[in-house]
């Protein structure tokens, strides 16, 4: 399936993932690891291991460190 | 290079001082010039929601998104981020490098105290490259 991803701060792109993919797979398609980002659907964070259930998501790279 | 207004510089130092032993963090807003300079016009404080705020920082994603939208609504762009190292060192930590996720953006680090310090590094995607920090006249 194709998912339109808005990478906040970078713009939109479309990625293809298997029909049974989870959001972590979408993130990896973007070149990020799941711990670096949060996926938002309709403005709310979704678990990385939840099956993809939206054709448009926003991916927010986290601001964190030590 | 990271160029800050005096007000932006003071705001970062004031925030870091107010944080005491805990790290503070926030987002730097302004514009990028053609030569890659990041000009900071506004500083947006954020809550540090890390589990161990004395040695870690993390901005809640929903607050982060709200800040970014506020910056864009004001006609500015995100040019970087800042956080404090209350006990030093005045350089990015290994955790900073492990958690950095915004290539091309400035990561400023403030060490508060009697002789406060503010340094900045650009994240290349692989490493932090030190950049000059300058104050511009108001």
């Amino acid at each position: 399936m194709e998912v339109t991803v808005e990478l906040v701060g970078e713009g939109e792109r479309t990625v293809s993932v298997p029909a049974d993919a989870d959001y972590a797979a979408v993130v990896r398609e973007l070149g990020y690891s799941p711990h670096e980002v949060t996926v938002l659907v309709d403005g709310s964070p979704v678990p990385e291991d939840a099956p993809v259930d939206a054709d448009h998501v926003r991916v927010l790279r986290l601001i964190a460190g030590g | 290079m990271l160029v800050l207004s005096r007000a932006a510089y003071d705001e970062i130092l004031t925030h870091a001082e107010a944080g005491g032993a805990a790290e503070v963090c926030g987002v730097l807003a302004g514009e990028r010039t053609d030569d890659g300079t990041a000009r900071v016009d506004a500083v947006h404080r954020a809550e540090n929601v890390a589990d161990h705020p004395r040695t870690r920082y993390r901005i809640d994603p929903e607050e982060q998104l709200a800040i970014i939208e506020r910056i864009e609504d004001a006609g500015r762009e995100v040019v970087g981020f800042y956080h404090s190292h209350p006990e030093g060192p005045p350089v990015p930590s290994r955790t900073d490098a492990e958690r950095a996720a915004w290539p091309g953006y400035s990561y400023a680090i403030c060490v508060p105290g009697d002789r406060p310090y503010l340094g900045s590094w650009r994240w290349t995607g692989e490493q932090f490259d030190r950049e000059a920090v300058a104050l511009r006249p108001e």
Side-chain angles (χ1 to χ4, degrees):
Chain A
M1 65 184 295
E2 293 204 329
V3 181
T4 302
V5 181
E6 179 194 347
L7 183 61
V8 176
E10 293 293 330
E12 278 194 356
R13 68 182 79 171
T14 300
V15 299
S16 294
V17 293
D20 59 350
D22 57 17
Y23 288 106
V26 174
V27 169
R28 284 192 288 270
E29 276 297 308
L30 293 171
Y32 290 93
S33 74
H35 77 267
E36 292 179 306
V37 303
T38 291
V39 180
L40 301 144
V41 175
D42 295 330
S44 298
V46 293
E48 298 153 5
D49 58 357
V52 177
D53 189 27
D55 56 11
H56 186 282
V57 303
R58 299 179 90 183
V59 172
L60 187 63
R61 291 168 287 174
L62 298 180
I63 303 170
Chain B
M1 177 184 288
L2 183 73
V3 179
L4 303 111
S5 66
R6 182 77 212 191
Y9 176 84
D10 288 345
E11 171 64 6
I12 295 170
L13 264 54
T14 300
H15 191 194
E17 194 67 46
E23 296 192 15
V24 302
C25 51
V27 182
L28 305 174
E31 64 172 354
R32 291 180 198 282
T33 61
D34 291 341
D35 66 359
T37 296
R39 289 171 51 95
V40 178
D41 297 313
V43 171
H44 293 259
R45 293 187 183 198
E47 182 182 357
N48 180 2
V49 299
D51 290 338
H52 303 285
R54 285 175 176 247
T55 55
R56 297 285 186 273
Y57 78 96
R58 183 170 69 86
I59 301 178
D60 175 77
E62 291 184 61
E63 182 184 15
Q64 180 187 332
L65 196 56
I67 289 172
I68 291 173
E69 287 175 349
R70 218 158 53 231
I71 288 169
E72 291 176 347
D73 287 348
R76 297 188 173 108
E77 60 181 312
V78 176
V79 297
F81 319 101
Y82 72 92
H83 72 283
S84 64
H85 284 175
E87 304 295 333
V91 293
S93 65
R94 194 167 73 180
T95 304
D96 289 329
E98 289 171 351
R99 304 301 301 273
W102 292 72
Y105 287 75
S106 296
Y107 283 74
I109 294 174
C110 177
V111 180
D114 294 337
R115 301 174 69 180
Y117 169 84
L118 182 71
S120 187
W121 288 259
R122 291 284 176 108
W123 177 242
T124 66
E126 300 289 333
Q127 64 185 37
F128 281 113
D129 285 347
R130 190 176 199 120
E131 65 179 344
V133 176
L135 291 184
R136 71 168 191 271
E138 294 296 322

